[in-house]
Amino acid sequence: MTAKPTFYITTPIYYVNDIPHIGHAYTTLACDVLARFKRLDGFDVMFLTGTDEHGQKVEKSAAAKGKDPLKFCDEVSERFRELAKFMNISNDDFVRTTEQRHKLACQDLWRKLEASGNIYLDKYAGWYSVRDEAYYAETELTEGEGGEKLAPTGAPVEWVEEESYFFKLSAWEDALLKWYENMPETVLPKSRKNEVKSFVEGGLRDLSVSRTSFSWGVPVPDNEKHIMYVWIDALTNYMTGVGYPDVGNEKFKKFWPADINMVGKDIVRFHAVYWPAFLMAAGIEPPKRVFAHGWWTNEGQKISKSLGNVIDPFEIVEEFGLDQVRYFLMREVPFGNDGDFSQMAMINRINSDLANDLGNLAQRSLSMIFKNCDGKIPDVNGFTSEDEKILAAADNLLPQVRELMERQSINKAIEVIWKVVGDCNVYFAGQQPWTLKKTNPERMGTVLYVTAEVVRQIGILIRFIMPDSGHKLLDQINIDPDKRGFEHLGSTGRLVSGISLDKPVGVFPRYIKAEDK
Ligand code: ME8
C-alpha cells in the first residue's frame, strides 16, 4: 500500500491572558475545516493548536488576579481546550508552552542558532509593548491624546534597557526576499505577502531575543539570568507538536515542514519574517505557507474588551447552534478578508442557506419518498437529460472544491456547493414530482431518486464544514457509515434503490427569536 499524502496545519497558539473569543474560534475553525477536508480527501493529517503561556503579558495578568502564573495558565488554557471540544474541532494535539517537551524544543533551537553564529550578547535599549509583546523603533511610534507614546497598533510602549541576546535578523534579508520570490505562494493572501516583503526591503534590524527583567519564560541555555523572548518561544511550538528536537522521529519526518501556519493578519510579520529567518538560520526548512486571514468586527465595531463587545463563542453556539455558527463563519466572508459579525446576517444565513435551501430540499424530497414510495429509495428506468445534468453537477463538485481549498478559498468552496443545492431546488420545482404522483408515478420515482442522490453527495461534501449535520443528512438516507468519505462521491457511489428510509426529520431548523416563538 502506498503511503497517504500528508498535511500539517497549525493555528496560532493563543495567549492565556484572556479567555477565548470569536476571533480565536474563527482561526481554529478555519484550520479544522481545512484539516477535515484533507482527511476526507485521503490525506494523513496533523492538526495542531495550543496556548502561549509565557511572557510579561501573561505574568502581569496572573499577578493582577493574585494567582500563581502556572495555575493561572492551567485554568485559561483549559478554557481553550474546552472551546475546541465544544466547537467539534478535530485537532490531533494541543501544545502548551509551559510543557517540558516544549522547553526542550526551544532550548534546542536556541543552541542551533547560537552554534551557527546567529545569536550574540549585547545590550538592548528601546521601546517595547507588553500588549503586543513586540519591540518597536522610535520612528514607528505615534503620540496618544495625553502625549504618551503608542505602538502602531495603538498599544502603550515602555522604555526597556537591559542586557540581551540578539538574533542576527539583518543577515537574513536576502534569504527572506529570495524565499518570497522563489515560493510565490508561501505567504497568502498576496496583499499580506507584499506587506511583509516591503517590510523586509525596508531593512531589518537585529532582534532582541532574551529578557532579564522578569522570569516567566524558557531559560536561555547556559545563562539562566535570561529568558527567551516570548515569540521565539511561541513560534517553536510548531516544531514541538511534531516531536522536535527528535528530528528522526516518525512524526517530524512525516509532517515537517508545515503545509500551513494559519494566523490572523495581526501577527503576519512574526510568522512570515521572524519565523522563517529563525528556521533558515537553524538549518531547518521553513513552512510551505503562512496564510494570514482577516479581522472580525462586531456589528461594524472593532472587537475589544474595553468596548465591552467581545463575542463569546460559547454563547453564540448556544444561541444559534454549532453547525450553524460553523457555516456562517466560513460562508459569510471571503477567507482572507475582514468580516463583520451581525446577528441579522447570521439569521439570514441560517434561514435561507440552511433551512430553506438545503434543509427543505432534503426534507421535501425524502418525505415524498417516505410517503409515496413505500419508504424506499425508488427504482429508476433511465434518466432524462435534465436528470443527467443535475447529477453531473453534483458529480463534478469535488474537483472544483478541491482546487478552491488548495488556495484556502473556503467561502468560495461553500458557494460552489450551494450553487448545486440551488440548481437542485430549481430541478425539483421544475419537475413537480407532486404532480407526477398522479400522472406518472414511475417518473416521480426517478425525480425523487435523483434529488436524494444529490442530497447524498451534498451530505458527504459538507462534512468538512458541518460534520454533525452532514452525518444527520446521510443518516436520513441510511448511508453506511463507512460509505461517507469523498471516495464515495460521484457516480461510483450512487444511491442504491430499495434502501428503506426512516421517517425524515428536518436537519436544519429555522431560527426563530425567543420572543417570537
Ligand atoms: O498573537 N478577528 O495570540 P492571541 C479574527 N500568542 N481573528 C482574530 C481576532 C479577530 N477580531 N482576534 C484574534 C497571539 N484573532 C500569540 C500567537 S503564535 C506562535 C503566537 C485570532 O491570543 C487571530 O488568529 O493574541 C490572531 O492572529 C490570533 O487570534 C491572536 O491570538
Side-chain angles (χ1 to χ4, degrees):
M1 209 173 92
T2 51
K4 284 180 173 184
T6 61
F7 182 72
Y8 179 24
I9 184 163
T10 65
T11 74
I13 49 169
Y14 305 110
Y15 286 129
V16 290
N17 64 303
D18 204 359
I19 54 167
H21 67 65
I22 191 80
H24 308 122
Y26 179 63
T27 315
T28 305
L29 172 62
C31 291
D32 183 59
V33 163
L34 291 160
R36 283 180 185 275
F37 182 85
K38 287 288 189 185
R39 280 193 208 102
L40 283 162
D41 207 20
F43 283 65
D44 190 352
V45 172
M46 170 74 198
F47 168 20
L48 183 70
T49 186
T51 42
D52 187 355
E53 307 187 7
H54 288 135
Q56 233 169 328
K57 177 150 87 170
V58 171
E59 192 183 59
K60 282 188 172 175
S61 300
K65 293 228 153 81
K67 287 192 176 157
D68 163 70
L70 185 57
K71 202 160 172 302
F72 173 75
C73 291
D74 288 346
E75 285 167 18
V76 187
S77 177
E78 191 49 37
R79 199 69 185 142
F80 278 94
R81 259 184 218 263
E82 281 166 12
L83 178 66
K85 228 180 180 175
F86 190 68
M87 292 197 63
N88 205 356
I89 300 299
S90 62
N91 57 300
D92 298 290
D93 200 348
F94 187 103
V95 171
R96 295 184 56 188
T97 56
T98 46
E99 289 174 276
Q100 179 67 7
R101 61 170 173 161
H102 179 69
K103 182 177 157 189
L104 295 176
C106 292
Q107 293 188 328
D108 191 89
L109 176 65
W110 185 281
R111 285 200 181 93
K112 285 206 171 73
L113 294 174
E114 215 170 16
S116 60
N118 281 284
I119 280 185
Y120 61 92
L121 189 62
D122 203 341
K123 196 173 169 229
Y124 179 77
W127 297 101
Y128 190 76
S129 157
V130 175
R131 196 168 92 191
D132 299 345
E133 296 283 19
Y135 299 94
Y136 290 105
E138 179 88 40
T139 49
E140 289 179 281
L141 305 181
T142 56
E143 210 161 88
E145 278 171 14
E148 73 282 15
K149 292 198 184 282
L150 296 177
T153 54
V157 291
E158 58 191 52
W159 185 255
V160 172
E161 253 187 76
E162 60 191 52
E163 184 185 83
S164 171
Y165 284 97
F166 282 80
F167 171 70
K168 276 190 190 164
L169 185 61
S170 59
W172 293 93
E173 261 174 48
D174 289 346
L176 284 168
L177 291 173
K178 259 194 208 129
W179 187 57
Y180 305 140
E181 192 164 315
N182 296 343
M183 313 269 285
E185 303 222 303
T186 210
V187 183
L188 285 181
K190 257 207 179 107
S191 55
R192 298 288 155 221
K193 179 182 158 182
N194 294 339
E195 178 188 317
V196 291
K197 200 169 148 229
S198 59
F199 174 72
V200 175
E201 281 165 348
L204 295 174
R205 290 176 307 139
D206 289 352
L207 184 70
S208 165
V209 286
S210 76
R211 302 291 303 269
T212 56
S213 50
F214 64 98
S215 60
W216 187 236
V218 177
V220 165
D222 309 319
N223 189 351
E224 302 226 336
K225 201 171 81 186
H226 289 254
I227 54 156
M228 293 183 198
Y229 172 39
V230 66
W231 271 100
I232 199 167
D233 166 345
L235 289 159
T236 306
N237 92 86
Y238 303 133
M239 296 206 289
T240 309
V242 285
Y244 183 89
D246 175 12
V247 293
N249 92 80
E250 274 312 306
K251 246 190 194 162
F252 193 88
K253 284 200 295 202
K254 198 149 105 182
F255 291 112
W256 195 266
D259 291 270
I260 304 179
N261 286 152
M262 180 67 70
V263 295
K265 65 179 183 180
D266 54 329
I267 53 176
V268 67
R269 189 185 291 183
F270 298 97
H271 283 81
V273 181
Y274 300 168
W275 181 226
F278 294 153
L279 289 170
M280 288 185 216
I284 301 169
E285 227 181 307
K288 292 185 202 154
R289 176 167 300 169
V290 173
F291 192 104
H293 67 64
W295 216 237
W296 280 88
T297 49
N298 182 3
E299 312 276 351
Q301 270 194 318
K302 186 175 175 227
I303 299 176
S304 97
K305 234 175 159 180
S306 51
L307 290 172
N309 65 350
V310 173
I311 302 167
D312 178 348
F314 290 95
E315 269 175 27
I316 56 162
V317 168
E318 291 287 357
E319 176 69 22
F320 296 103
L322 174 59
D323 278 353
Q324 282 76 1
V325 170
R326 288 178 61 111
Y327 177 84
F328 172 78
L329 291 175
M330 291 298 104
R331 171 65 182 82
E332 189 65 8
V333 178
F335 197 62
N337 293 10
D338 292 340
D340 186 43
F341 183 90
S342 94
Q343 299 239 351
M344 246 348 251
M346 168 84 90
I347 294 167
N348 278 342
R349 288 281 173 211
I350 293 174
N351 288 346
S352 112
D353 300 16
L354 297 182
N356 279 356
D357 296 348
L358 180 54
N360 276 347
L361 179 70
Q363 187 62 12
R364 288 171 75 199
S365 55
L366 302 182
S367 297
M368 276 198 77
I369 293 177
F370 188 74
K371 280 193 205 132
N372 305 303
C373 309
D374 232 3
K376 290 190 181 124
I377 299 291
D379 288 325
V380 174
N381 272 323
F383 293 125
T384 64
S385 63
E386 276 154 315
D387 302 339
E388 272 164 1
K389 199 169 149 207
I390 190 68
L391 286 171
D395 293 349
N396 292 332
L397 269 174
L398 181 60
Q400 294 171 62
V401 172
R402 187 184 280 138
E403 199 189 318
L404 292 163
M405 293 298 280
E406 277 309 309
R407 287 183 275 133
Q408 292 74 55
S409 297
I410 305 174
N411 81 307
K412 289 214 182 81
I414 299 177
E415 269 172 28
V416 302
I417 299 172
W418 252 256
K419 167 84 174 62
V420 173
V421 172
D423 289 349
C424 195
N425 269 312
V426 172
Y427 163 85
F428 191 77
Q431 296 296 320
Q432 302 196 348
W434 50 92
T435 312
L436 293 169
K437 195 167 113 183
K438 292 195 190 93
T439 56
N440 188 348
E442 193 181 306
R443 177 67 198 144
M444 172 197 75
T446 305
V447 170
L448 294 176
Y449 175 92
V450 168
T451 310
E453 165 60 12
V454 173
V455 169
R456 179 189 74 87
Q457 297 213 36
I458 302 291
I460 293 177
L461 265 170
I462 62 169
R463 285 185 52 203
F464 69 102
I465 313 154
M466 298 182 282
D468 290 345
S469 306
H471 278 303
K472 275 189 201 152
L473 268 186
L474 297 167
D475 288 345
Q476 310 278 299
I477 31 180
N478 277 337
I479 300 295
D480 214 67
D482 59 15
K483 293 207 168 127
R484 297 178 178 193
F486 284 177
E487 69 277 22
H488 298 284
L489 286 170
S491 57
T492 48
R494 286 273 184 267
L495 264 181
V496 180
S497 301
I499 293 180
S500 293
L501 305 189
D502 300 326
K503 189 171 193 296
V505 287
V507 174
F508 295 109
R510 283 184 75 75
Y511 176 84
I512 304 166
K513 277 195 170 152
E515 61 262 34
D516 301 335
K517 272 181 192 160

